[in-house]
Coordinates of all heavy atoms in Angstrom, one line a residue:
M8 N 99.5 86.4 103.7 CA 99.9 86.4 102.3 C 100.6 87.7 102.0 O 100.2 88.8 102.5 CB 98.6 86.3 101.5 CG 98.9 86.3 100.0 SD 97.4 85.9 99.1 CE 97.4 87.2 97.9
C9 N 101.7 87.6 101.3 CA 102.5 88.8 100.9 C 102.3 89.1 99.5 O 102.3 88.2 98.6 CB 103.9 88.5 101.3 SG 105.0 89.9 100.8
L10 N 102.0 90.3 99.2 CA 101.9 90.8 97.8 C 103.1 91.7 97.5 O 103.2 92.7 98.1 CB 100.6 91.5 97.6 CG 100.3 92.1 96.2 CD1 100.1 90.9 95.2 CD2 99.0 92.9 96.3
S11 N 103.9 91.2 96.6 CA 105.1 92.0 96.2 C 105.0 92.6 94.9 O 104.8 91.9 93.9 CB 106.4 91.2 96.3 OG 107.5 91.9 96.1
I12 N 105.0 93.9 94.8 CA 104.9 94.6 93.5 C 106.3 94.8 93.0 O 107.2 95.2 93.7 CB 104.2 96.0 93.7 CG1 102.8 95.8 94.2 CG2 104.2 96.8 92.4 CD1 102.2 97.1 94.7
P13 N 106.5 94.5 91.7 CA 107.9 94.6 91.2 C 108.4 96.1 91.3 O 107.7 97.0 91.1 CB 107.7 94.3 89.7 CG 106.5 93.4 89.7 CD 105.6 93.9 90.7
S14 N 109.6 96.2 91.7 CA 110.3 97.5 91.9 C 111.5 97.5 91.0 O 112.2 96.6 90.9 CB 110.7 97.6 93.4 OG 109.6 97.5 94.2
Q15 N 111.8 98.7 90.5 CA 113.0 98.9 89.7 C 114.1 99.6 90.5 O 113.9 100.6 91.2 CB 112.7 99.8 88.5 CG 113.8 99.8 87.5 CD 113.5 100.6 86.2 OE1 112.7 101.5 86.2 NE2 114.1 100.1 85.1
V16 N 115.3 99.0 90.4 CA 116.5 99.6 91.0 C 116.9 100.9 90.3 O 117.1 100.9 89.1 CB 117.7 98.6 91.0 CG1 118.9 99.2 91.6 CG2 117.3 97.3 91.7
V17 N 117.0 102.0 91.1 CA 117.3 103.3 90.5 C 118.6 103.9 91.1 O 119.2 104.8 90.5 CB 116.1 104.3 90.7 CG1 114.9 103.9 89.9 CG2 115.8 104.5 92.2
E18 N 119.1 103.3 92.2 CA 120.4 103.8 92.8 C 121.0 102.6 93.5 O 120.3 101.8 94.1 CB 120.2 104.9 93.8 CG 119.8 106.2 93.3 CD 119.6 107.3 94.4 OE1 120.6 107.4 95.1 OE2 118.6 107.9 94.5
L19 N 122.3 102.5 93.4 CA 123.1 101.5 94.2 C 123.8 102.2 95.3 O 124.4 103.3 95.2 CB 124.1 100.9 93.2 CG 123.6 100.2 91.9 CD1 124.7 99.7 91.1 CD2 122.6 99.0 92.3
H20 N 123.8 101.5 96.5 CA 124.6 102.0 97.6 C 125.4 100.8 98.1 O 125.1 100.2 99.1 CB 123.6 102.4 98.7 CG 122.5 103.4 98.3 ND1 122.8 104.7 98.0 CD2 121.2 103.1 98.0 CE1 121.6 105.2 97.6 NE2 120.7 104.3 97.6
E21 N 126.5 100.5 97.3 CA 127.3 99.3 97.6 C 127.9 99.3 99.0 O 128.0 98.2 99.6 CB 128.3 99.2 96.5 CG 127.7 98.9 95.1 CD 128.7 98.9 94.0 OE1 129.9 98.8 94.3 OE2 128.3 98.9 92.8
E22 N 128.4 100.5 99.5 CA 129.0 100.5 100.8 C 128.0 100.1 101.9 O 128.5 99.6 102.9 CB 129.6 101.9 101.0 CG 128.6 103.0 101.2 CD 127.9 103.5 99.9 OE1 128.4 103.2 98.8 OE2 126.9 104.3 100.0
E23 N 126.8 100.3 101.7 CA 125.7 99.9 102.7 C 125.0 98.6 102.3 O 124.1 98.2 103.1 CB 124.7 101.0 102.7 CG 125.2 102.4 103.1 CD 124.1 103.5 102.9 OE1 122.9 103.2 102.8 OE2 124.5 104.7 102.9
Q24 N 125.4 98.0 101.2 CA 124.7 96.8 100.7 C 123.2 97.1 100.6 O 122.4 96.3 101.1 CB 125.0 95.6 101.6 CG 126.3 94.9 101.3 CD 126.4 93.6 102.0 OE1 126.6 93.5 103.2 NE2 126.4 92.5 101.2
S25 N 122.9 98.2 100.0 CA 121.5 98.5 99.8 C 121.3 99.2 98.4 O 122.3 99.5 97.8 CB 121.0 99.5 100.9 OG 121.6 100.7 100.8
V26 N 120.0 99.3 98.1 CA 119.7 99.9 96.8 C 118.4 100.8 97.0 O 117.7 100.6 98.0 CB 119.4 98.9 95.7 CG1 120.6 98.1 95.3 CG2 118.2 98.0 96.1
T27 N 118.3 101.8 96.2 CA 117.0 102.6 96.1 C 116.2 102.0 95.0 O 116.7 101.8 93.9 CB 117.3 104.1 96.0 OG1 118.0 104.5 97.1 CG2 116.0 104.8 95.9
V28 N 114.9 101.7 95.3 CA 114.0 101.2 94.3 C 112.9 102.1 94.1 O 112.5 102.9 95.0 CB 113.5 99.8 94.6 CG1 114.7 98.8 94.7 CG2 112.7 99.8 95.9
E29 N 112.2 102.0 92.9 CA 111.0 102.8 92.7 C 109.9 101.8 92.4 O 110.0 100.9 91.6 CB 111.2 103.7 91.4 CG 109.9 104.5 91.2 CD 110.1 105.6 90.2 OE1 111.3 106.1 90.0 OE2 109.2 106.0 89.5
T30 N 108.8 102.0 93.2 CA 107.7 101.1 93.1 C 106.4 101.9 92.8 O 106.0 102.7 93.7 CB 107.5 100.3 94.5 OG1 108.7 99.7 94.9 CG2 106.4 99.3 94.3
M31 N 106.0 101.9 91.6 CA 104.8 102.6 91.2 C 104.9 104.1 91.6 O 104.0 104.7 92.2 CB 103.5 102.0 91.8 CG 103.3 100.6 91.3 SD 101.8 99.8 91.9 CE 100.6 100.6 90.8
G32 N 106.0 104.7 91.4 CA 106.2 106.1 91.6 C 106.8 106.5 93.0 O 107.1 107.6 93.3
V33 N 106.9 105.5 93.9 CA 107.4 105.7 95.2 C 108.8 105.2 95.3 O 109.1 104.0 95.0 CB 106.5 105.1 96.3 CG1 107.1 105.3 97.7 CG2 105.1 105.6 96.2
R34 N 109.8 106.0 95.8 CA 111.2 105.5 96.0 C 111.4 105.3 97.5 O 111.0 106.0 98.3 CB 112.1 106.6 95.5 CG 112.2 106.7 94.0 CD 113.2 107.7 93.5 NE 113.2 107.7 92.1 CZ 114.3 107.9 91.4 NH1 115.4 108.2 91.9 NH2 114.2 107.9 90.0
R35 N 112.2 104.2 97.7 CA 112.7 103.9 99.1 C 113.9 103.0 99.0 O 114.2 102.3 98.0 CB 111.6 103.1 99.8 CG 111.2 101.8 99.3 CD 110.1 101.2 100.0 NE 109.7 100.0 99.3 CZ 109.2 98.9 99.9 NH1 109.1 98.9 101.2 NH2 108.8 97.9 99.2
K36 N 114.7 103.2 100.1 CA 116.0 102.4 100.2 C 115.7 101.1 100.8 O 115.0 101.0 101.9 CB 117.0 103.2 101.0 CG 118.4 102.5 100.9 CD 119.4 103.3 101.8 CE 119.9 104.5 101.2 NZ 121.0 105.1 101.9
V37 N 116.2 100.0 100.3 CA 116.0 98.6 100.8 C 117.3 97.9 100.9 O 118.3 98.2 100.2 CB 115.0 97.8 100.0 CG1 113.6 98.5 100.1 CG2 115.4 97.7 98.6
S38 N 117.4 96.9 101.7 CA 118.6 96.1 101.9 C 118.8 95.1 100.8 O 117.9 94.5 100.3 CB 118.5 95.4 103.2 OG 119.7 94.5 103.4
A39 N 120.1 95.0 100.4 CA 120.4 94.0 99.4 C 121.3 92.9 100.0 O 121.9 92.1 99.3 CB 121.2 94.6 98.2
H40 N 121.3 92.8 101.3 CA 122.1 91.8 102.1 C 121.8 90.4 101.7 O 122.7 89.5 101.8 CB 121.9 92.0 103.6 CG 122.7 93.2 104.1 ND1 122.1 94.4 104.3 CD2 123.9 93.3 104.6 CE1 123.0 95.2 104.8 NE2 124.1 94.6 105.0
L41 N 120.6 90.1 101.3 CA 120.2 88.7 101.0 C 120.5 88.3 99.6 O 120.3 87.1 99.3 CB 118.8 88.5 101.4 CG 118.4 88.7 102.8 CD1 116.9 88.5 103.0 CD2 119.2 87.8 103.8
M42 N 120.9 89.2 98.7 CA 121.1 88.9 97.3 C 122.5 88.3 97.1 O 123.5 88.8 97.5 CB 121.0 90.2 96.5 CG 119.6 90.6 96.3 SD 118.5 89.5 95.4 CE 119.3 89.4 93.8
Q43 N 122.5 87.1 96.4 CA 123.7 86.4 96.0 C 124.3 87.0 94.8 O 125.5 87.1 94.6 CB 123.4 85.0 95.8 CG 122.9 84.2 97.0 CD 124.0 83.8 98.0 OE1 125.1 83.5 97.5 NE2 123.7 83.8 99.3
E44 N 123.4 87.4 93.8 CA 123.9 88.0 92.6 C 123.9 89.5 92.6 O 123.1 90.1 93.4 CB 123.1 87.5 91.4 CG 121.6 87.8 91.5 CD 120.8 87.1 90.5 OE1 121.0 87.4 89.3 OE2 119.8 86.4 90.8
P45 N 124.8 90.1 91.9 CA 124.9 91.6 91.9 C 123.6 92.2 91.3 O 123.0 91.7 90.4 CB 126.1 91.9 91.1 CG 126.3 90.7 90.2 CD 125.8 89.5 91.0
L46 N 123.3 93.4 91.7 CA 122.2 94.2 91.2 C 122.8 95.4 90.4 O 123.8 95.9 90.7 CB 121.3 94.7 92.3 CG 120.6 93.7 93.1 CD1 119.9 94.3 94.3 CD2 119.6 92.9 92.3
E47 N 122.0 95.8 89.4 CA 122.4 96.9 88.5 C 121.2 97.8 88.4 O 120.1 97.4 88.6 CB 122.8 96.4 87.2 CG 124.0 95.5 87.1 CD 124.4 95.0 85.8 OE1 123.8 95.5 84.8 OE2 125.2 94.2 85.6
I48 N 121.5 99.1 88.2 CA 120.4 100.1 87.9 C 119.6 99.6 86.7 O 120.2 99.1 85.7 CB 121.0 101.5 87.7 CG1 121.6 102.0 89.0 CG2 119.9 102.4 87.1 CD1 122.3 103.3 88.9
G49 N 118.3 99.6 86.9 CA 117.4 99.1 85.8 C 116.9 97.7 86.1 O 115.8 97.4 85.5
D50 N 117.5 97.0 87.0 CA 117.0 95.6 87.3 C 115.6 95.8 88.0 O 115.3 96.7 88.7 CB 117.9 94.9 88.3 CG 119.2 94.4 87.7 OD1 119.2 94.3 86.4 OD2 120.1 94.1 88.4
Y51 N 114.8 94.8 87.8 CA 113.5 94.7 88.5 C 113.6 93.6 89.6 O 114.2 92.5 89.4 CB 112.4 94.3 87.6 CG 111.9 95.5 86.7 CD1 112.5 95.8 85.5 CD2 110.9 96.3 87.2 CE1 112.2 96.9 84.8 CE2 110.5 97.5 86.5 CZ 111.1 97.7 85.3 OH 110.8 98.8 84.5
V52 N 113.1 93.9 90.8 CA 113.3 93.0 91.9 C 112.0 92.9 92.7 O 111.1 93.8 92.5 CB 114.4 93.6 92.9 CG1 115.7 93.6 92.2 CG2 114.0 95.0 93.4
L53 N 111.9 91.9 93.5 CA 110.8 91.7 94.4 C 111.3 91.9 95.8 O 112.4 91.5 96.2 CB 110.1 90.4 94.3 CG 109.4 90.1 93.0 CD1 108.9 88.6 93.0 CD2 108.3 91.1 92.7
I54 N 110.6 92.6 96.7 CA 111.0 93.0 98.0 C 110.0 92.4 99.0 O 108.8 92.4 98.8 CB 111.0 94.5 98.2 CG1 112.0 95.1 97.2 CG2 111.3 95.0 99.6 CD1 111.8 96.6 96.9
H55 N 110.6 91.9 100.1 CA 109.8 91.5 101.3 C 110.4 92.0 102.5 O 111.6 91.9 102.8 CB 109.8 89.9 101.3 CG 109.0 89.3 102.4 ND1 107.7 89.5 102.5 CD2 109.4 88.6 103.5 CE1 107.3 88.9 103.6 NE2 108.3 88.3 104.2
I56 N 109.6 92.7 103.3 CA 109.9 93.3 104.6 C 111.2 94.1 104.5 O 112.1 94.1 105.4 CB 109.9 92.4 105.8 CG1 110.8 91.2 105.6 CG2 108.5 91.9 106.1 CD1 111.0 90.4 106.9
G57 N 111.4 94.9 103.4 CA 112.6 95.7 103.3 C 113.8 95.1 102.8 O 114.9 95.7 102.8
F58 N 113.8 93.9 102.3 CA 114.9 93.2 101.7 C 114.6 92.8 100.3 O 113.5 92.3 100.0 CB 115.2 91.9 102.5 CG 115.8 92.1 103.9 CD1 114.9 92.3 105.0 CD2 117.2 92.2 104.0 CE1 115.5 92.5 106.2 CE2 117.7 92.4 105.3 CZ 116.8 92.6 106.4
V59 N 115.6 93.0 99.4 CA 115.4 92.5 98.0 C 115.6 90.9 98.1 O 116.5 90.4 98.7 CB 116.5 93.0 97.1 CG1 116.4 92.4 95.7 CG2 116.5 94.5 97.0
M60 N 114.5 90.3 97.6 CA 114.5 88.8 97.7 C 115.1 88.1 96.4 O 115.8 87.2 96.4 CB 113.1 88.3 97.9 CG 112.6 88.8 99.3 SD 113.6 88.5 100.7 CE 113.5 86.7 100.8
N61 N 114.7 88.7 95.2 CA 115.2 88.2 94.0 C 115.0 89.2 92.8 O 114.1 90.0 92.9 CB 114.6 86.8 93.6 CG 113.1 86.9 93.5 OD1 112.4 87.4 94.4 ND2 112.5 86.4 92.4
K62 N 115.7 89.0 91.7 CA 115.5 89.7 90.5 C 114.5 89.0 89.7 O 114.3 87.8 89.8 CB 116.8 89.8 89.7 CG 117.9 90.7 90.2 CD 118.9 91.1 89.1 CE 120.0 90.1 89.0 NZ 121.1 90.6 88.1
I63 N 113.7 89.8 88.9 CA 112.8 89.2 88.0 C 112.9 89.7 86.6 O 113.5 90.8 86.4 CB 111.3 89.4 88.5 CG1 110.9 90.8 88.6 CG2 111.1 88.7 89.8 CD1 109.5 91.1 88.9
D64 N 112.4 89.0 85.7 CA 112.5 89.4 84.3 C 111.8 90.7 84.0 O 110.7 90.9 84.5 CB 111.9 88.2 83.4 CG 111.9 88.5 82.0 OD1 113.0 88.5 81.3 OD2 110.8 88.8 81.4
K65 N 112.3 91.6 83.2 CA 111.7 92.9 82.9 C 110.3 92.7 82.3 O 109.4 93.4 82.7 CB 112.6 93.7 82.0 CG 112.1 95.0 81.6 CD 113.0 95.8 80.7 CE 112.4 97.2 80.4 NZ 113.3 98.0 79.6
A66 N 110.1 91.8 81.4 CA 108.8 91.7 80.7 C 107.8 91.2 81.8 O 106.7 91.7 81.8 CB 108.9 90.6 79.6
D67 N 108.1 90.3 82.6 CA 107.2 89.8 83.7 C 106.9 91.0 84.6 O 105.8 91.2 85.1 CB 107.8 88.7 84.4 CG 107.9 87.4 83.6 OD1 107.2 87.3 82.6 OD2 108.7 86.5 84.0
A68 N 107.9 91.8 85.0 CA 107.7 92.9 85.9 C 106.8 93.9 85.3 O 105.8 94.4 86.0 CB 109.1 93.5 86.2
L69 N 107.0 94.3 84.0 CA 106.1 95.3 83.4 C 104.7 94.8 83.3 O 103.8 95.6 83.4 CB 106.7 95.7 82.0 CG 108.1 96.4 82.1 CD1 108.6 96.7 80.7 CD2 108.0 97.7 82.9
E70 N 104.5 93.5 83.0 CA 103.2 92.9 82.9 C 102.5 93.0 84.3 O 101.3 93.4 84.4 CB 103.2 91.5 82.4 CG 101.9 90.8 82.3 CD 100.9 91.5 81.3 OE1 101.4 92.1 80.3 OE2 99.7 91.4 81.4
S71 N 103.2 92.7 85.3 CA 102.6 92.7 86.7 C 102.3 94.2 87.1 O 101.2 94.4 87.6 CB 103.6 92.2 87.7 OG 103.8 90.8 87.5
I72 N 103.1 95.1 86.7 CA 102.9 96.5 87.0 C 101.6 97.0 86.3 O 100.8 97.7 86.9 CB 104.1 97.4 86.7 CG1 105.2 97.1 87.7 CG2 103.7 98.9 86.8 CD1 106.6 97.6 87.3
K73 N 101.5 96.6 85.1 CA 100.3 96.9 84.3 C 99.0 96.4 85.0 O 98.0 97.1 85.1 CB 100.4 96.3 82.9 CG 99.2 96.6 82.0 CD 99.4 95.9 80.6 CE 98.2 96.0 79.8 NZ 98.2 95.1 78.6
L74 N 99.1 95.2 85.5 CA 97.9 94.6 86.1 C 97.6 95.3 87.4 O 96.4 95.6 87.8 CB 98.1 93.1 86.4 CG 98.2 92.2 85.2 CD1 98.6 90.8 85.5 CD2 96.8 92.2 84.5
Y75 N 98.6 95.7 88.2 CA 98.4 96.5 89.4 C 97.8 97.8 89.1 O 96.9 98.3 89.8 CB 99.7 96.7 90.2 CG 100.2 95.4 90.9 CD1 101.4 94.8 90.5 CD2 99.4 94.7 91.8 CE1 101.9 93.7 91.1 CE2 99.9 93.6 92.4 CZ 101.1 93.0 92.0 OH 101.5 91.9 92.6
D76 N 98.3 98.5 88.0 CA 97.7 99.8 87.6 C 96.2 99.6 87.3 O 95.4 100.5 87.7 CB 98.4 100.3 86.4 CG 99.8 100.9 86.7 OD1 100.0 101.3 87.9 OD2 100.6 101.0 85.8
E77 N 95.8 98.5 86.7 CA 94.4 98.3 86.4 C 93.6 98.1 87.6 O 92.5 98.6 87.8 CB 94.3 97.1 85.5 CG 94.8 97.3 84.0 CD 94.7 96.0 83.2 OE1 93.9 95.1 83.6 OE2 95.4 96.0 82.2
I78 N 94.2 97.4 88.6 CA 93.5 97.2 89.9 C 93.3 98.5 90.6 O 92.2 98.8 91.1 CB 94.3 96.2 90.8 CG1 94.3 94.8 90.2 CG2 93.8 96.2 92.2 CD1 95.3 93.9 90.9
V79 N 94.3 99.4 90.6 CA 94.2 100.7 91.3 C 93.1 101.5 90.6 O 92.3 102.2 91.2 CB 95.6 101.4 91.3 CG1 95.4 102.8 91.7 CG2 96.5 100.7 92.2
E80 N 93.1 101.5 89.2 CA 92.1 102.3 88.5 C 90.7 101.8 88.8 O 89.8 102.6 89.0 CB 92.3 102.1 87.0 CG 93.5 102.9 86.5 CD 93.8 102.7 85.0 OE1 92.9 102.3 84.3 OE2 94.9 102.9 84.6
K81 N 90.5 100.5 88.9 CA 89.1 100.0 89.2 C 88.7 100.3 90.6 O 87.5 100.5 90.9 CB 89.1 98.5 88.9 CG 89.1 98.2 87.4 CD 89.1 96.7 87.1 CE 89.2 96.5 85.6 NZ 89.0 95.2 85.1
M82 N 89.7 100.2 91.5 CA 89.3 100.6 92.9 C 89.0 102.0 93.0 O 88.0 102.4 93.7 CB 90.5 100.2 93.8 CG 90.7 98.7 94.0 SD 92.2 98.3 95.0 CE 91.7 99.0 96.5
A83 N 89.7 102.9 92.3 CA 89.4 104.3 92.4 C 88.0 104.6 91.7 O 87.3 105.5 92.2 CB 90.5 105.1 91.6
A84 N 87.7 103.9 90.7 CA 86.4 104.1 90.0 C 85.2 103.7 90.9 O 84.1 104.2 90.8 CB 86.4 103.4 88.7
A85 N 85.5 102.7 91.7 CA 84.4 102.2 92.6 C 84.1 103.1 93.8 O 83.1 102.9 94.5 CB 84.8 100.8 93.1
E86 N 85.0 104.0 94.1 CA 84.8 104.9 95.2 C 83.7 105.9 95.0 O 83.4 106.4 94.1 CB 86.1 105.6 95.6 CG 87.2 104.7 96.1 CD 88.4 105.4 96.5 OE1 88.7 106.6 96.1 OE2 89.3 104.8 97.2

């Protein structure tokens, strides 16, 4: 099972067909080779094994991130 946390595009690297995304405060460069539609800074995307798989709606992305934050908080409190 794969769990993909929504990531926000923060940099475009068109010459490399890649983008830099931020996922819960962590930035990394991922491939955009599989994307049919163009990406823009601010887009929210889902990533699988280093590839952007699809764009997602901002409201849905923010709701998912909120739920992940709650999970992390509850796990930290249980330690």
Side-chain angles (χ1 to χ4, degrees):
M8 182 171 132
C9 178
L10 179 65
S11 184
I12 299 170
S14 302
Q15 187 175 32
V16 175
V17 294
E18 290 181 53
L19 303 173
H20 311 285
E21 294 177 11
E22 67 286 348
E23 300 172 16
Q24 280 189 290
S25 65
V26 296
T27 298
V28 296
E29 185 170 330
T30 310
M31 298 182 78
V33 177
R34 288 184 179 212
R35 64 184 171 145
K36 188 185 280 188
V37 296
S38 175
H40 282 92
L41 301 178
M42 285 298 296
Q43 299 276 330
E44 58 187 301
L46 294 172
E47 298 178 9
I48 291 176
D50 285 343
Y51 283 87
V52 296
L53 294 178
I54 299 164
H55 180 65
I56 60 170
F58 290 88
V59 176
M60 300 306 291
N61 60 307
K62 285 200 277 190
I63 61 172
D64 178 72
K65 181 179 179 178
D67 292 339
L69 295 176
E70 180 64 25
S71 292
I72 292 168
K73 179 181 169 192
L74 293 173
Y75 289 119
D76 284 337
E77 289 177 18
I78 291 168
V79 170
E80 286 176 23
K81 288 182 181 186
M82 289 176 65
E86 292 181 345

